Amino acid sequence: ACGYETLSARLLCLKGSASLHKKSKGQSFLQGAFIMMAASLVVKVIGAFFQIPLQNLIGGEKSPAFGMFSAAYRIYTAMLVVSTVGLPAALSKMVAEATARGREHEVRRIVRVAAGIFVPVGALCSLALFFGAGTFAAWIKSEDSRLAVMAIAPSVLMVAILSVFRGYYQGRSNMVPTAVSQVIEAAGKLFIGLGLACWAVGRGFDDPVVAALNGGQDYELLFTVPLSKQQEIFALGVDVIGHVTAAGTGAMLVTPDGSEIALKAPGWK
């Protein structure tokens, strides 16, 4: 405790308290910077473990599957910018200023207003991305990426919600929630993304024929004809990819080399 018997003693006490406050604030900044740096490093490592196996699974950067992935991600990134541009930085600045003045009620109001604006905007962008996936894919000349765009659409809403929380905690000089959420996000992409990619490859969806038969955009180039017309079809010089078994026994495509491919799309039943 400081004594206030004289004016000089009071001024000395105030000066010492201010110096201690600046010191603790500087330590907090260094701790936050270290936490974010460590989280960024972990995210980069996880990203490498995701990107490299993914390319190997789906046939490299020049494969059609990777092209669809890249096209969907470009659309997603553009929509994400629309829904959350500058939110964490602006929110953290406003929260920090209100906190410094001791206005807790203003902090709560700022967070409520930010959530009330950006969460609905994120939801609308997700809905637009999901229901307009075909239109967005056509705009970038990648119609085959429609399903990939639909799959990634809910992420826009999730990131909008995360941005509000990240901005709030950053404004409170607490970088741990932001760092943890970034690591969880990267880990989720690694395990869920690679898991679904392995599942799709296991079902043969890395094969263009399988993808087309089960709902890909190339289905318009496929035709089925009765076996009685087989010779007429051969005479046209078209490629024959196999014959389809009866639906009652489970529709299958039997290729010329004897391989069997299950036909899962409802239209084959």
PDB file of all heavy atoms in Angstrom, residues 88-109:
ATOM      1  N   PRO A  88     -13.198  -9.673 -37.359  1.00  0.00           N
ATOM      2  CA  PRO A  88     -12.431  -9.866 -36.123  1.00  0.00           C
ATOM      3  C   PRO A  88     -11.599  -8.660 -35.727  1.00  0.00           C
ATOM      4  O   PRO A  88     -11.554  -8.274 -34.552  1.00  0.00           O
ATOM      5  CB  PRO A  88     -11.542 -11.075 -36.452  1.00  0.00           C
ATOM      6  CG  PRO A  88     -12.239 -11.779 -37.554  1.00  0.00           C
ATOM      7  CD  PRO A  88     -12.891 -10.702 -38.368  1.00  0.00           C
ATOM      8  N   ALA A  89     -10.932  -8.026 -36.705  1.00  0.00           N
ATOM      9  CA  ALA A  89     -10.068  -6.881 -36.393  1.00  0.00           C
ATOM     10  C   ALA A  89     -10.880  -5.696 -35.879  1.00  0.00           C
ATOM     11  O   ALA A  89     -10.528  -5.069 -34.866  1.00  0.00           O
ATOM     12  CB  ALA A  89      -9.275  -6.488 -37.634  1.00  0.00           C
ATOM     13  N   ALA A  90     -11.971  -5.383 -36.565  1.00  0.00           N
ATOM     14  CA  ALA A  90     -12.799  -4.244 -36.142  1.00  0.00           C
ATOM     15  C   ALA A  90     -13.444  -4.504 -34.790  1.00  0.00           C
ATOM     16  O   ALA A  90     -13.473  -3.626 -33.910  1.00  0.00           O
ATOM     17  CB  ALA A  90     -13.873  -3.965 -37.198  1.00  0.00           C
ATOM     18  N   LEU A  91     -13.959  -5.700 -34.587  1.00  0.00           N
ATOM     19  CA  LEU A  91     -14.618  -6.023 -33.325  1.00  0.00           C
ATOM     20  C   LEU A  91     -13.634  -6.006 -32.165  1.00  0.00           C
ATOM     21  O   LEU A  91     -13.942  -5.485 -31.084  1.00  0.00           O
ATOM     22  CB  LEU A  91     -15.284  -7.399 -33.432  1.00  0.00           C
ATOM     23  CG  LEU A  91     -16.070  -7.878 -32.204  1.00  0.00           C
ATOM     24  CD1 LEU A  91     -17.168  -6.887 -31.839  1.00  0.00           C
ATOM     25  CD2 LEU A  91     -16.667  -9.254 -32.457  1.00  0.00           C
ATOM     26  N   SER A  92     -12.450  -6.577 -32.376  1.00  0.00           N
ATOM     27  CA  SER A  92     -11.458  -6.594 -31.298  1.00  0.00           C
ATOM     28  C   SER A  92     -11.028  -5.187 -30.910  1.00  0.00           C
ATOM     29  O   SER A  92     -10.828  -4.891 -29.720  1.00  0.00           O
ATOM     30  CB  SER A  92     -10.236  -7.418 -31.720  1.00  0.00           C
ATOM     31  OG  SER A  92      -9.557  -6.811 -32.814  1.00  0.00           O
ATOM     32  N   LYS A  93     -10.914  -4.291 -31.880  1.00  0.00           N
ATOM     33  CA  LYS A  93     -10.537  -2.911 -31.588  1.00  0.00           C
ATOM     34  C   LYS A  93     -11.618  -2.212 -30.753  1.00  0.00           C
ATOM     35  O   LYS A  93     -11.311  -1.537 -29.756  1.00  0.00           O
ATOM     36  CB  LYS A  93     -10.310  -2.147 -32.891  1.00  0.00           C
ATOM     37  CG  LYS A  93      -9.852  -0.705 -32.706  1.00  0.00           C
ATOM     38  CD  LYS A  93      -9.583  -0.058 -34.052  1.00  0.00           C
ATOM     39  CE  LYS A  93      -9.031   1.360 -33.872  1.00  0.00           C
ATOM     40  NZ  LYS A  93      -9.992   2.264 -33.209  1.00  0.00           N
ATOM     41  N   MET A  94     -12.863  -2.391 -31.116  1.00  0.00           N
ATOM     42  CA  MET A  94     -13.950  -1.751 -30.388  1.00  0.00           C
ATOM     43  C   MET A  94     -14.098  -2.335 -28.977  1.00  0.00           C
ATOM     44  O   MET A  94     -14.327  -1.601 -28.007  1.00  0.00           O
ATOM     45  CB  MET A  94     -15.258  -1.920 -31.170  1.00  0.00           C
ATOM     46  CG  MET A  94     -15.265  -1.214 -32.510  1.00  0.00           C
ATOM     47  SD  MET A  94     -16.733  -1.576 -33.514  1.00  0.00           S
ATOM     48  CE  MET A  94     -17.984  -0.735 -32.568  1.00  0.00           C
ATOM     49  N   VAL A  95     -13.934  -3.653 -28.866  1.00  0.00           N
ATOM     50  CA  VAL A  95     -14.009  -4.286 -27.539  1.00  0.00           C
ATOM     51  C   VAL A  95     -12.862  -3.821 -26.663  1.00  0.00           C
ATOM     52  O   VAL A  95     -13.048  -3.538 -25.467  1.00  0.00           O
ATOM     53  CB  VAL A  95     -14.004  -5.822 -27.685  1.00  0.00           C
ATOM     54  CG1 VAL A  95     -13.792  -6.495 -26.326  1.00  0.00           C
ATOM     55  CG2 VAL A  95     -15.306  -6.302 -28.294  1.00  0.00           C
ATOM     56  N   ALA A  96     -11.657  -3.719 -27.224  1.00  0.00           N
ATOM     57  CA  ALA A  96     -10.494  -3.276 -26.451  1.00  0.00           C
ATOM     58  C   ALA A  96     -10.678  -1.843 -25.951  1.00  0.00           C
ATOM     59  O   ALA A  96     -10.357  -1.527 -24.787  1.00  0.00           O
ATOM     60  CB  ALA A  96      -9.235  -3.385 -27.307  1.00  0.00           C
ATOM     61  N   GLU A  97     -11.202  -0.963 -26.798  1.00  0.00           N
ATOM     62  CA  GLU A  97     -11.407   0.426 -26.387  1.00  0.00           C
ATOM     63  C   GLU A  97     -12.456   0.523 -25.288  1.00  0.00           C
ATOM     64  O   GLU A  97     -12.280   1.268 -24.306  1.00  0.00           O
ATOM     65  CB  GLU A  97     -11.834   1.265 -27.597  1.00  0.00           C
ATOM     66  CG  GLU A  97     -10.723   1.465 -28.622  1.00  0.00           C
ATOM     67  CD  GLU A  97     -11.206   2.222 -29.847  1.00  0.00           C
ATOM     68  OE1 GLU A  97     -12.442   2.420 -29.974  1.00  0.00           O
ATOM     69  OE2 GLU A  97     -10.355   2.603 -30.683  1.00  0.00           O
ATOM     70  N   ALA A  98     -13.550  -0.232 -25.420  1.00  0.00           N
ATOM     71  CA  ALA A  98     -14.589  -0.197 -24.388  1.00  0.00           C
ATOM     72  C   ALA A  98     -14.088  -0.804 -23.086  1.00  0.00           C
ATOM     73  O   ALA A  98     -14.409  -0.315 -21.993  1.00  0.00           O
ATOM     74  CB  ALA A  98     -15.832  -0.950 -24.885  1.00  0.00           C
ATOM     75  N   THR A  99     -13.289  -1.861 -23.180  1.00  0.00           N
ATOM     76  CA  THR A  99     -12.737  -2.498 -21.979  1.00  0.00           C
ATOM     77  C   THR A  99     -11.782  -1.557 -21.258  1.00  0.00           C
ATOM     78  O   THR A  99     -11.777  -1.480 -20.017  1.00  0.00           O
ATOM     79  CB  THR A  99     -12.007  -3.796 -22.361  1.00  0.00           C
ATOM     80  OG1 THR A  99     -12.930  -4.679 -23.008  1.00  0.00           O
ATOM     81  CG2 THR A  99     -11.439  -4.485 -21.131  1.00  0.00           C
ATOM     82  N   ALA A 100     -10.961  -0.836 -22.025  1.00  0.00           N
ATOM     83  CA  ALA A 100     -10.012   0.100 -21.421  1.00  0.00           C
ATOM     84  C   ALA A 100     -10.729   1.204 -20.642  1.00  0.00           C
ATOM     85  O   ALA A 100     -10.207   1.714 -19.640  1.00  0.00           O
ATOM     86  CB  ALA A 100      -9.126   0.708 -22.503  1.00  0.00           C
ATOM     87  N   ARG A 101     -11.932   1.565 -21.058  1.00  0.00           N
ATOM     88  CA  ARG A 101     -12.697   2.596 -20.350  1.00  0.00           C
ATOM     89  C   ARG A 101     -13.550   2.007 -19.231  1.00  0.00           C
ATOM     90  O   ARG A 101     -14.251   2.749 -18.536  1.00  0.00           O
ATOM     91  CB  ARG A 101     -13.609   3.330 -21.349  1.00  0.00           C
ATOM     92  CG  ARG A 101     -12.872   4.095 -22.436  1.00  0.00           C
ATOM     93  CD  ARG A 101     -13.831   4.963 -23.215  1.00  0.00           C
ATOM     94  NE  ARG A 101     -13.170   5.678 -24.284  1.00  0.00           N
ATOM     95  CZ  ARG A 101     -13.162   5.301 -25.562  1.00  0.00           C
ATOM     96  NH1 ARG A 101     -13.778   4.177 -25.918  1.00  0.00           N
ATOM     97  NH2 ARG A 101     -12.539   6.019 -26.477  1.00  0.00           N
ATOM     98  N   GLY A 102     -13.516   0.694 -19.088  1.00  0.00           N
ATOM     99  CA  GLY A 102     -14.298   0.054 -18.042  1.00  0.00           C
ATOM    100  C   GLY A 102     -15.780  -0.016 -18.334  1.00  0.00           C
ATOM    101  O   GLY A 102     -16.600  -0.171 -17.420  1.00  0.00           O
ATOM    102  N   ARG A 103     -16.169   0.038 -19.595  1.00  0.00           N
ATOM    103  CA  ARG A 103     -17.575   0.038 -19.984  1.00  0.00           C
ATOM    104  C   ARG A 103     -18.003  -1.370 -20.414  1.00  0.00           C
ATOM    105  O   ARG A 103     -18.101  -1.679 -21.601  1.00  0.00           O
ATOM    106  CB  ARG A 103     -17.817   1.039 -21.111  1.00  0.00           C
ATOM    107  CG  ARG A 103     -17.464   2.481 -20.727  1.00  0.00           C
ATOM    108  CD  ARG A 103     -17.623   3.404 -21.912  1.00  0.00           C
ATOM    109  NE  ARG A 103     -17.303   4.788 -21.573  1.00  0.00           N
ATOM    110  CZ  ARG A 103     -17.275   5.787 -22.444  1.00  0.00           C
ATOM    111  NH1 ARG A 103     -17.543   5.552 -23.736  1.00  0.00           N
ATOM    112  NH2 ARG A 103     -16.979   7.018 -22.052  1.00  0.00           N
ATOM    113  N   GLU A 104     -18.270  -2.199 -19.440  1.00  0.00           N
ATOM    114  CA  GLU A 104     -18.632  -3.580 -19.737  1.00  0.00           C
ATOM    115  C   GLU A 104     -19.966  -3.674 -20.476  1.00  0.00           C
ATOM    116  O   GLU A 104     -20.152  -4.550 -21.324  1.00  0.00           O
ATOM    117  CB  GLU A 104     -18.693  -4.391 -18.440  1.00  0.00           C
ATOM    118  CG  GLU A 104     -17.336  -4.630 -17.799  1.00  0.00           C
ATOM    119  CD  GLU A 104     -16.403  -5.419 -18.714  1.00  0.00           C
ATOM    120  OE1 GLU A 104     -16.872  -6.382 -19.353  1.00  0.00           O
ATOM    121  OE2 GLU A 104     -15.207  -5.075 -18.782  1.00  0.00           O
ATOM    122  N   HIS A 105     -20.895  -2.801 -20.125  1.00  0.00           N
ATOM    123  CA  HIS A 105     -22.190  -2.826 -20.814  1.00  0.00           C
ATOM    124  C   HIS A 105     -22.025  -2.507 -22.299  1.00  0.00           C
ATOM    125  O   HIS A 105     -22.715  -3.055 -23.161  1.00  0.00           O
ATOM    126  CB  HIS A 105     -23.152  -1.827 -20.176  1.00  0.00           C
ATOM    127  CG  HIS A 105     -22.738  -0.399 -20.331  1.00  0.00           C
ATOM    128  ND1 HIS A 105     -21.716   0.175 -19.583  1.00  0.00           N
ATOM    129  CD2 HIS A 105     -23.204   0.577 -21.176  1.00  0.00           C
ATOM    130  CE1 HIS A 105     -21.574   1.452 -19.952  1.00  0.00           C
ATOM    131  NE2 HIS A 105     -22.448   1.714 -20.907  1.00  0.00           N
ATOM    132  N   GLU A 106     -21.057  -1.637 -22.625  1.00  0.00           N
ATOM    133  CA  GLU A 106     -20.793  -1.297 -24.026  1.00  0.00           C
ATOM    134  C   GLU A 106     -20.148  -2.472 -24.761  1.00  0.00           C
ATOM    135  O   GLU A 106     -20.440  -2.715 -25.938  1.00  0.00           O
ATOM    136  CB  GLU A 106     -19.883  -0.075 -24.107  1.00  0.00           C
ATOM    137  CG  GLU A 106     -19.681   0.438 -25.529  1.00  0.00           C
ATOM    138  CD  GLU A 106     -18.879   1.719 -25.587  1.00  0.00           C
ATOM    139  OE1 GLU A 106     -18.783   2.409 -24.540  1.00  0.00           O
ATOM    140  OE2 GLU A 106     -18.338   2.027 -26.661  1.00  0.00           O
ATOM    141  N   VAL A 107     -19.292  -3.221 -24.062  1.00  0.00           N
ATOM    142  CA  VAL A 107     -18.683  -4.410 -24.655  1.00  0.00           C
ATOM    143  C   VAL A 107     -19.760  -5.403 -25.053  1.00  0.00           C
ATOM    144  O   VAL A 107     -19.762  -5.939 -26.166  1.00  0.00           O
ATOM    145  CB  VAL A 107     -17.693  -5.061 -23.668  1.00  0.00           C
ATOM    146  CG1 VAL A 107     -17.229  -6.421 -24.200  1.00  0.00           C
ATOM    147  CG2 VAL A 107     -16.499  -4.164 -23.434  1.00  0.00           C
ATOM    148  N   ARG A 108     -20.700  -5.649 -24.139  1.00  0.00           N
ATOM    149  CA  ARG A 108     -21.772  -6.604 -24.434  1.00  0.00           C
ATOM    150  C   ARG A 108     -22.639  -6.119 -25.599  1.00  0.00           C
ATOM    151  O   ARG A 108     -23.061  -6.910 -26.441  1.00  0.00           O
ATOM    152  CB  ARG A 108     -22.628  -6.819 -23.182  1.00  0.00           C
ATOM    153  CG  ARG A 108     -21.903  -7.576 -22.067  1.00  0.00           C
ATOM    154  CD  ARG A 108     -22.868  -7.987 -20.978  1.00  0.00           C
ATOM    155  NE  ARG A 108     -23.383  -6.843 -20.251  1.00  0.00           N
ATOM    156  CZ  ARG A 108     -22.817  -6.310 -19.172  1.00  0.00           C
ATOM    157  NH1 ARG A 108     -21.682  -6.842 -18.688  1.00  0.00           N
ATOM    158  NH2 ARG A 108     -23.349  -5.275 -18.559  1.00  0.00           N
ATOM    159  N   ARG A 109     -22.884  -4.820 -25.640  1.00  0.00           N
ATOM    160  CA  ARG A 109     -23.698  -4.272 -26.722  1.00  0.00           C
ATOM    161  C   ARG A 109     -22.983  -4.407 -28.066  1.00  0.00           C
ATOM    162  O   ARG A 109     -23.603  -4.757 -29.082  1.00  0.00           O
ATOM    163  CB  ARG A 109     -24.008  -2.797 -26.444  1.00  0.00           C
ATOM    164  CG  ARG A 109     -24.938  -2.160 -27.494  1.00  0.00           C
ATOM    165  CD  ARG A 109     -25.169  -0.691 -27.170  1.00  0.00           C
ATOM    166  NE  ARG A 109     -23.934   0.075 -27.237  1.00  0.00           N
ATOM    167  CZ  ARG A 109     -23.412   0.553 -28.360  1.00  0.00           C
ATOM    168  NH1 ARG A 109     -24.005   0.322 -29.527  1.00  0.00           N
ATOM    169  NH2 ARG A 109     -22.294   1.249 -28.334  1.00  0.00           N
TER     170      ARG A 109
END
